[in-house]
Amino acid sequence: IFSVFKETLGDAWDDKAEQAWKEVWKRVATGMARGLNLGGNSMTHGLVSGNVDEFQRAVAVAPRNRRATWLCQIDINGLSISPLYWAINDGKLALAEFILNDLLTIRADMSGYYYGRQELFDNH
């Protein structure tokens, strides 16, 4: 790819341009690798695809008292990532809206009431 850039750009291709394109290529490769390394985690599949229904099905299996934690942070290869930041960063605003609405919904079971406001503020 870089040889094509060098040939096409001619004299405009210098060390600065090459370094800039290497950085862009590194970011693209990292993003693609992150997407491919997500494996069988359905939450991360929903985040990558931007599919709100798929993400909602993934979150639905979370234990009620852990649901907010799942919505605030996921672990990908030892790195803790915020699904909310991920969705906003990728421009998947419908997914971000779902996350916020779900976090701020009051739920209850026999153990108590659950509301994700504190997890939201603690993690963001």
Side-chain angles (χ1 to χ4, degrees):
I1 291 176
F2 291 105
S3 62
V4 171
F5 283 149
K6 186 175 183 177
E7 186 178 317
T8 304
L9 295 174
D11 292 338
W13 184 259
D14 57 10
D15 290 338
K16 188 176 178 181
E18 184 174 349
Q19 202 61 297
W21 278 104
K22 282 183 179 179
E23 183 63 29
V24 168
W25 189 254
K26 178 180 160 187
R27 288 179 185 249
V28 168
T30 300
M32 290 181 67
R34 181 173 74 173
L36 293 173
N37 287 331
L38 299 176
N41 186 329
S42 55
M43 282 188 61
T44 52
H45 282 278
L47 283 165
V48 169
S49 71
N51 186 323
V52 176
D53 292 332
E54 182 179 350
F55 189 77
Q56 184 175 13
R57 284 190 299 275
V59 173
V61 300
R64 189 156 310 214
N65 62 348
R66 301 278 304 144
R67 186 178 182 115
T69 303
W70 283 26
L71 287 167
C72 288
Q73 62 183 355
I74 55 174
D75 181 69
I76 299 176
N77 297 332
L79 180 65
S80 182
I81 298 176
S82 163
L84 179 60
Y85 284 161
W86 186 344
I88 291 170
N89 187 51
D90 286 357
K92 298 171 181 166
L93 300 181
L95 198 53
E97 180 181 11
F98 167 79
I99 292 169
L100 287 172
N101 284 334
D102 198 270
L103 274 171
L104 300 176
T105 297
I106 299 172
R107 294 184 169 79
D109 65 14
M110 296 188 67
S111 301
Y113 292 94
Y114 304 98
Y115 179 60
R117 178 187 52 86
Q118 192 61 46
E119 286 87 349
L120 179 63
F121 291 135
D122 288 347
N123 289 286
H124 300 92

